Amino acid sequence: MDRTGKYFPLGNHTKLVEFILIGFSDVPSLQGLLFGVFLIIYIFILMGNSLIIMITKVDPSLQTPMYFFLGNLSFLEICYVSDTLPRLLADLCRQNRKISFLACAVQLYFFLVLGATECFILTVMAYDRYVAICNPLMYPVIMNSRLCVQLAASCWTTAILIHIGSTSVVFSSPFCERNEMNHFFCDVPPIVQLVCGDTFIIEMLTFVIAALVVTIPFLLILGSYVKIITNILKLPSATGRAKAFSTCSSHVIVVTLFFGSAIIVYLRPKSTHSKGMDKYFSLLYCILIPVFNPIIYCLRNKDIMVALEKFLQKWIVLRFIHSKNSSHS
């Protein structure tokens, strides 16, 4: 290790022991404002998604496959933002933005696993809507509780296994002396920019995995909705068509936002990548989409709104009884 303690010389390359996340230090006048905004967003994401999980668990009317997967999605969103936002908030309050080699690898691994799992969960949710609309009589039989648990578990397991290898390949590569990453968390594109020598294998592996994790699920979702729309248009009742469309609209909006931003960041040509802009694109799927999800699913779903109203009424009544008993005692 040299005197700075940053790396060990290994021939023409170095073995880094830490990275420096530049984050938003290039706009020092906005550090306080960004901290306040991101903190509010983080609290909102935690509260909004936690509320959805709680409601889907306690309300009997929401004990269906659709809301089971929605609860999984909300849990994913909480984990997803918790992998990046706390670190970003801490970095906005301090000058030392160093992150160890191991911590960076762990952050990247969980970020990729959670992102891939979300792609798979959204695909399973599309399949659920397909069965509900295109084969409603067999829906309770096909989408039984055992299958739902198996589908959710397979989403997590597949993502975990896929990204063990990809993360290992990225971090086993030789790095140059420079260790500054123009990003607010450890993501694949900014890390690859610090690799010495030919990065073709890493880039191809990243592209193939992104295609498998993003493109194939997106095409499956697209195929499901082509069949769903075809069946909805065949319904004789305008009311029935409107109701069928409303059950899918929230999912369609979330899918469009999530996959659209993922394709922009990971599947656009390398020539269009900008070191300064990648971190701003990342804000789309790291922060903004987890904010929109609870809003979209709550405001556009009558069942959740009714369940939320009943839950709040019960909570207010319980608080009133508790305060009344406390005053008498």
Side-chain angles (χ1 to χ4, degrees), residues 15 17 43 78 84 136 147 153 167 170 182 188 237 251 258 265 268 270 297 324 328:
K15 183 179 179 182
V17 295
I43 293 171
I78 291 172
T84 56
L147 179 64
T167 307
V170 171
N182 192 8
V188 175
S237 167
H251 184 253
F258 183 78
V265 173
R268 75 185 195 274
K270 186 182 176 182
Y297 276 108
K324 199 170 183 180
H328 283 305

Side-chain angles (χ1 to χ4, degrees), residues 212-256:
L212 290 172
V213 170
V214 178
T215 308
I216 292 178
F218 181 74
L219 291 175
L220 289 172
I221 292 170
L222 191 63
S224 297
Y225 275 105
V226 167
K227 292 187 176 183
I228 287 170
I229 291 169
T230 303
N231 274 269
I232 289 175
L233 294 176
K234 291 178 182 178
L235 294 175
S237 167
T239 306
R241 289 195 295 269
K243 186 177 180 181
F245 273 121
S246 68
T247 62
C248 300
S249 59
S250 300
H251 184 253
V252 170
I253 294 170
V254 171
V255 164
T256 303

Side-chain angles (χ1 to χ4, degrees), residues 10-68:
L10 287 176
N12 295 327
H13 308 304
T14 60
K15 183 179 179 182
L16 292 175
V17 295
E18 64 184 25
F19 295 100
I20 297 174
L21 296 170
I22 294 176
F24 299 100
S25 60
D26 52 345
V27 283
S29 59
L30 296 178
Q31 300 288 293
L33 175 62
L34 290 174
F35 178 84
V37 171
F38 291 145
L39 179 61
I40 292 170
I41 288 173
Y42 186 46
I43 293 171
F44 177 81
I45 292 170
L46 293 180
M47 291 179 64
N49 285 289
S50 297
L51 193 59
I52 289 176
I53 294 171
M54 197 180 303
I55 292 170
T56 55
K57 289 291 184 184
V58 301
D59 195 294
S61 65
L62 301 183
Q63 303 297 309
T64 64
M66 182 172 75
Y67 295 110
F68 169 77

Side-chain angles (χ1 to χ4, degrees), residues 6 18-21 87 91 94 96-100:
K6 291 182 180 178
E18 64 184 25
F19 295 100
I20 297 174
L21 296 170
R87 172 84 202 191
D91 285 346
R94 61 190 177 189
N96 183 3
R97 295 181 173 86
K98 295 176 182 178
I99 182 170
S100 70

Side-chain angles (χ1 to χ4, degrees), residues 21 139-140 215 225 280-281 298:
L21 296 170
Y139 179 71
T215 308
Y225 275 105
Y280 295 103
F281 278 125
C298 287

Side-chain angles (χ1 to χ4, degrees), residues 276-319:
M277 289 304 295
D278 277 352
K279 61 186 175 186
Y280 295 103
F281 278 125
S282 299
L283 289 174
L284 286 173
Y285 59 86
C286 286
I287 297 175
L288 293 182
I289 292 174
V291 169
F292 290 143
N293 281 2
I295 296 173
I296 292 168
Y297 276 108
C298 287
L299 294 182
R300 298 186 62 86
N301 191 303
K302 292 180 180 178
D303 292 337
I304 288 186
M305 290 300 291
V306 170
L308 179 60
E309 186 178 346
K310 288 193 296 183
F311 176 79
L312 291 175
Q313 286 175 351
K314 287 181 181 178
W315 183 80
I316 291 170
V317 170
L318 289 172
R319 291 292 297 174

